[in-house]
Amino acid sequence: MQNPKINIIKTEILSDNWYTLNKVTYTIAKKDGTTETQSREAYDRGNGAVILLYNKTSGTVILTRQFRLPTFINGNATGMLIEACAGLLDNDNPEECIKRETEEETGYKISKVEKVFEAYMSPGSVTEILHFFIAEYSSEMKIADGGGLEEEGEHIEVLELSFEDTLSMIDNGEIMDAKTIMLIQYLRIKNIV
């Protein structure tokens, strides 16, 4: 149901280069009954999916490391970020997307995933809803090296880490990616690994 207190007046495309940056002008009804006109920018990059692969027997998880320009220009000296495997939906349903991304990025072919929740990751400026998944993996599921797709400019390092180490890496700042922290904490809270 659409919020009756909000009325979109105008949407302007400011940039349509990598993804779409819109400037949206709207009115919002205030508590006192008056309305106020506001203007905000919203970055539309589509929706995505993320997964944390875990192995109960070995007590390990699969993460990735790759260069992330926004972190580099905001103080991350190397620009490298340790993350759970993720990708944009690209018109797929979330489950099919994350299975494809898992194989491309990590080299693991998984058939069964468990969706755990959805979340807006930066609702003040980005429209994206992220679908969160977990899946159990084993060494037999490794069918390729992973690393991402060359045509997408991906240069991804695959990491197999102990679950306990990832908790320490959150504490010491080695893992600073929100989606990854959320999934690691999910496994911890649910006592899965």
Side-chain angles (χ1 to χ4, degrees), residues 10-182:
K10 176 173 59 170
T11 300
E12 303 169 75
I13 295 176
L14 300 179
S15 175
D16 194 13
N17 185 15
W18 187 249
Y19 299 110
T20 305
L21 178 61
N22 290 307
K23 180 180 179 182
V24 180
T25 305
Y26 59 97
T27 59
I28 184 167
K30 298 177 3 179
K31 288 181 183 179
D32 66 6
T34 62
T35 60
E36 178 178 273
T37 300
Q38 296 183 355
S39 193
R40 299 287 186 270
E41 293 175 5
Y43 193 54
D44 184 354
R45 59 187 306 270
N47 295 325
V50 59
I51 192 166
L52 184 56
L53 301 179
Y54 65 91
N55 184 305
K56 284 184 184 181
T57 306
S58 63
T60 55
V61 296
I62 300 294
L63 295 175
T64 64
R65 182 179 7 236
Q66 63 184 306
F67 179 75
R68 295 297 197 185
L69 176 66
T71 74
F72 183 72
I73 60 178
N74 193 26
N76 178 358
T78 65
M80 301 302 285
L81 209 61
I82 296 173
E83 305 175 52
C85 171
L88 294 177
L89 298 186
D90 296 331
N91 298 317
D92 281 342
N93 70 52
E95 187 173 314
E96 291 308 310
C97 165
I98 204 57
K99 287 177 182 178
R100 180 190 71 243
E101 289 292 333
T102 300
E103 191 172 332
E104 288 173 6
E105 291 188 7
T106 71
Y108 286 88
K109 185 172 184 68
I110 55 173
S111 57
K112 183 180 171 193
V113 298
E114 179 185 346
K115 186 170 183 180
V116 292
F117 52 83
E118 296 176 10
Y120 289 100
M121 295 304 294
S122 189
S125 60
V126 181
T127 61
E128 178 184 36
I129 293 174
L130 199 54
H131 302 263
F132 286 76
F133 293 90
I134 57 173
E136 202 161 357
Y137 80 95
S138 66
S139 58
E140 295 80 31
M141 296 175 178
K142 183 85 167 164
I143 62 165
D145 290 336
L149 297 178
E150 188 67 34
E151 63 267 19
E152 291 182 9
E154 295 177 319
H155 308 284
I156 298 169
E157 179 185 358
V158 180
L159 307 172
E160 185 172 33
L161 302 167
S162 83
F163 183 69
E164 290 304 315
D165 283 351
T166 65
L167 295 172
S168 297
M169 293 168 78
I170 291 169
D171 289 343
N172 69 25
E174 286 180 81
I175 295 177
M176 295 182 66
D177 176 63
K179 65 186 179 297
T180 305
I181 294 169
M182 291 166 72

